[in-house]
Each structure stands twice: as structure tokens, then as C-alpha cells.
């Protein structure tokens, strides 16, 4: 659901930014998306050793807006750089 709280100019609302963090020492990105019936879902990107892992909603189809697609692209780029180290 969209957060109606105003944000700083030029800064996307909280729900429009990918959530990045770490789990077990690994960097993890979560990108909000929807499914074919418009329910909120999430794509997860993580690095396992030297491989990038993309986890979609279980048994679902991920539907992304252009903004979410940009977030996914950025997360995949960062994950690829991390996997190459």
C-alpha cells in the first residue's frame, strides 16, 4: 500500500526504494512487486558464493512497474559486482 507521508524532494517514498540489508553476512536486496491479481509481493536478490540468486514469489508471477524494474536492475548490478569479488 502506498505511504501518503511526504518525503524529501527528489527522494522516492519509502515503499518505492529497494530494501537492502544482510543476512548471515550476505547482502540481500528486496524489491517490491505485484502478482497477476495485484497483490503485493517481493523479489529477493542475494549473492551465494560467486553466484547471484533471484528468488521470486513462491508459485507466483512477479509484475513490476518501471520504477521497480529500475530497482531490480540496480540490485542485480550491485549483486553481480559483489559476486565477482
Amino acid at each position: 500500500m502506498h505511504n501518503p507521508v511526504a518525503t524529501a524532494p527528489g527522494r522516492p517514498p519509502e515503499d518505492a526504494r529497494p530494501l537492502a540489508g544482510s543476512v548471515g553476512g550476505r547482502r540481500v536486496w528486496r524489491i517490491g512487486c505485484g502478482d497477476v491479481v495485484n497483490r503485493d509481493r517481493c523479489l529477493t536478490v542475494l549473492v551465494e558464493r560467486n553466484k547471484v540468486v533471484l528468488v521470486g514469489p513462491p508459485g507466483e508471477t512477479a509484475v513490476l512497474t518501471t520504477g521497480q524494474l529500475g530497482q531490480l536492475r540496480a540490485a542485480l548490478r550491485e549483486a553481480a559486482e559483489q559476486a565477482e569479488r
Side-chain angles (χ1 to χ4, degrees):
M1 190 157 282
H2 179 67
N3 182 355
V5 176
T7 58
R11 186 172 178 180
E14 195 65 36
D15 60 353
R17 283 183 269 144
L19 173 63
S22 64
V23 174
R26 296 182 302 192
R27 184 91 191 260
V28 176
W29 297 263
R30 297 197 194 285
I31 295 93
C33 64
D35 65 11
V36 294
V37 292
N38 206 29
R39 294 177 292 195
D40 289 335
R41 296 292 182 249
C42 182
L43 287 172
T44 303
V45 177
L46 59 98
V47 176
E48 180 68 38
R49 296 188 187 147
N50 64 342
K51 297 188 181 342
V52 175
V53 180
L54 177 60
V55 182
E60 297 285 346
T61 300
V63 179
L64 289 88
T65 64
T66 56
Q68 292 166 331
L69 185 57
Q71 294 169 12
L72 178 59
R73 183 183 309 118
L76 288 171
R77 184 179 305 114
E78 287 183 49
E81 290 170 2
Q82 181 178 334
E84 291 172 348
R85 291 184 209 146

